[in-house]
Amino acid sequence: MKKPNPLLEDLKSILPTIAANAFQAEQGRKVPDENIALLKGIGMHRAFQPKKFGGMEISLPQFADCIALLAGSCASTAWAMSLLCTHSHQLAMFSAKLQQEVWGTDSDATASSSIAPFGRTEETEGGVLFSGEMGWSSGCDHAEWAIVGFRRKNAEGTQDYCFAVLPRSDYQIRDDWFAAGMKGSGTKTLIIDNVLVPEHRIQKAKDMMEGKSAGFGLYPDSKIFYSPYRPYFASGFSTVSLGVAERMLEVFREKTKTRVRAYTGAAVGAATPALMRLAESTHQVAAARAFLEKTWEEHAEHSEQQRYPSRETLAFWRTNQAYATKMCIQAVDRLFEAAGGNAWFEHNEMQRLFRDSHMTGAHAYTDYDVCAQILGRELMGLEPDPSMI
């Protein structure tokens, strides 16, 4: 039996407004300010924030249920909000000094990110000088901080994948998000020019995966921070895909009930092909949810037990979400193919769901070609390929 989820109940009360704003989100190419205000009004941005700063520290399964439901109203809002929330989990693994800077004077602060290691840095006293055009920063218009990626030489002469955290005053936002899917996510580019990032705002990605980061152990009573950062960071992508697919089932059923064929007047909702497509997609989406829920519960159990996952478990967690996304996209496609010409009009919700569904599979973490290789290597006892994260 699932634990009570007060955040989910509060979310249900604001979903009609968020759904009504979906077209506005696409036209504005970012999450509407009203949506963010509503979500902050129920405290959703505090989902993974440390309790020390007023956060909720809810479990990953509880959070995922909220994101899936939100995605059914507006996938763009769910995508951006999911990241603004999961980045708080990541920030809690940084130094206490950094966390105080972020939340000490503004407990409502959130961070967007651009974590691919494209940043250019120069070592300087006390930290690095950071420059770069850091793309794909969803929800950046609504964030007070940014987490950005770069590679840094270490004492062994190799390079470490690292993250740097910057305040909003240290970067500009280039308004360049013109996309066919997830139009309202505001996934823009951060422009950073020779900015000093002090050492306490830098962490190695590897340390954040192995319980060795500066923030590890700061919250000994927490049930969510004894966990690698990556499963939390990546959880939203497949969850949004699930929410989109579940909504597509509802919309297809509603519209097909009253749809008639233009030339014959035949009732489409009683036709065998429509019934079979709906049935198969319903089974497929249910399977995706069950698969994801099992994975979310495993995340939660490991963290509650303060037990870090094995390499094999991490490989499954990393790849399960991509396979679930693949199933959800297939389920959406099956229905959209049979939705008729009216489904392509911009006012028809199904075309937005179709576009957003495919965008959920376009992220590096949901690329199943990559994930299948990661899991295949692990199952065959091969060492991980460093070109695949």
Side-chain angles (χ1 to χ4, degrees):
M1 181 179 295
K2 287 186 176 182
K3 298 176 183 177
N5 190 347
L7 182 59
L8 185 67
E9 296 308 311
D10 290 341
L11 178 62
K12 290 177 182 178
S13 68
I14 63 174
L15 288 181
T17 302
I18 290 176
N21 288 342
F23 186 75
Q24 177 190 339
E26 292 212 314
Q27 294 299 299
R29 296 177 295 104
K30 72 170 189 176
V31 179
D33 293 344
E34 183 180 19
N35 290 9
I36 296 296
L38 287 169
L39 290 165
K40 283 194 169 185
I42 64 170
M44 191 165 182
H45 62 303
R46 298 183 183 277
F48 294 141
Q49 183 185 34
K51 290 181 179 178
K52 175 182 177 180
F53 298 102
M56 296 180 179
E57 294 188 26
I58 67 174
S59 71
L60 182 57
Q62 290 175 313
F63 177 72
D65 280 342
C66 292
I67 293 299
L69 189 62
L70 179 58
S73 294
C74 178
S76 290
T77 297
W79 186 276
M81 193 64 188
S82 171
L83 287 164
L84 294 177
C85 293
T86 57
H87 291 149
S88 293
H89 183 274
Q90 189 173 358
L91 289 174
M93 297 184 181
F94 277 76
S95 67
K97 184 176 181 180
L98 179 276
Q99 294 181 50
Q100 185 64 33
E101 287 177 338
V102 173
W103 292 308
T105 58
D106 183 6
S107 61
D108 289 320
T110 58
S112 67
S113 74
S114 179
I115 65 168
F118 294 147
R120 304 184 305 276
T121 59
E122 177 184 337
E123 295 292 330
T124 190
E125 184 177 355
V128 300
L129 295 174
F130 195 108
S131 297
E133 297 186 4
M134 310 299 290
W136 303 93
S137 191
S138 301
C140 59
D141 291 295
H142 303 289
E144 292 76 24
W145 295 78
I147 305 171
V148 290
F150 69 104
R151 297 195 185 280
R152 191 181 197 185
K153 288 185 179 178
N154 56 35
E156 291 73 38
T158 58
Q159 292 187 324
D160 293 319
Y161 177 22
C162 297
F163 301 123
V165 181
L166 284 69
R168 180 66 182 82
S169 57
D170 280 355
Y171 57 88
Q172 302 298 315
I173 297 175
R174 177 185 291 159
D175 186 3
D176 57 1
W177 184 241
F178 297 89
M182 218 70 72
K183 285 185 175 184
S185 63
T187 306
K188 302 173 182 178
T189 299
L190 311 182
I191 308 300
I192 305 166
D193 185 17
N194 206 39
V195 168
L196 173 63
V197 183
E199 206 65 50
H200 71 273
R201 294 184 189 165
I202 298 172
Q203 282 295 312
K204 297 178 185 177
K206 188 173 185 290
D207 287 351
M208 300 177 84
M209 289 294 290
E210 298 177 354
K212 299 176 182 177
S213 66
F216 183 76
L218 285 177
Y219 308 109
D221 297 326
S222 174
K223 294 182 178 180
I224 69 169
F225 295 128
Y226 286 89
S227 172
Y229 85 91
R230 191 174 291 156
Y232 278 75
F233 165 76
S235 65
F237 309 136
S238 55
T239 307
V240 171
S241 195
L242 174 64
V244 169
E246 290 180 332
R247 177 57 184 162
M248 187 67 164
L249 293 173
E250 295 174 358
V251 177
F252 181 85
R253 188 167 59 249
E254 291 167 3
K255 293 187 179 296
T256 305
K257 278 181 180 179
T258 57
R259 183 182 163 208
V260 296
R261 297 204 176 277
Y263 290 94
T264 66
V268 177
T272 301
L275 300 176
M276 292 176 66
R277 284 174 181 266
L278 178 60
E280 186 172 2
S281 286
T282 297
H283 274 133
Q284 196 165 23
V285 174
R289 173 172 275 279
F291 192 32
L292 286 173
E293 285 182 342
K294 180 178 183 296
T295 304
W296 300 334
E297 288 294 343
E298 287 180 4
H299 290 352
E301 289 169 4
H302 275 72
S303 191
E304 287 180 15
Q305 297 166 8
Q306 299 186 6
R307 177 166 55 98
Y308 263 64
S310 66
R311 197 179 79 177
E312 181 182 33
T313 297
L314 275 174
F316 272 105
W317 289 358
R318 167 72 179 86
T319 59
N320 288 359
Q321 49 92 32
Y323 190 71
T325 299
K326 180 180 179 180
M327 286 197 291
C328 288
I329 294 172
Q330 289 173 344
V332 168
D333 284 356
R334 184 180 297 109
L335 298 181
F336 193 71
E337 287 170 358
N342 281 326
W344 287 96
F345 280 100
E346 288 188 351
H347 67 267
N348 193 308
E349 185 180 356
M350 283 194 281
Q351 55 78 30
R352 174 167 53 83
L353 293 169
F354 171 77
R355 290 185 285 105
D356 288 347
S357 175
H358 277 270
M359 194 61 144
T360 66
H363 194 279
Y365 278 81
T366 53
D367 184 336
Y368 191 68
D369 284 347
V370 171
C371 286
Q373 294 176 72
I374 290 173
L375 184 58
R377 293 185 68 86
E378 181 62 33
L379 293 173
M380 292 300 292
L382 302 174
E383 286 299 309
D385 182 341
S387 69
M388 300 175 191
I389 58 171

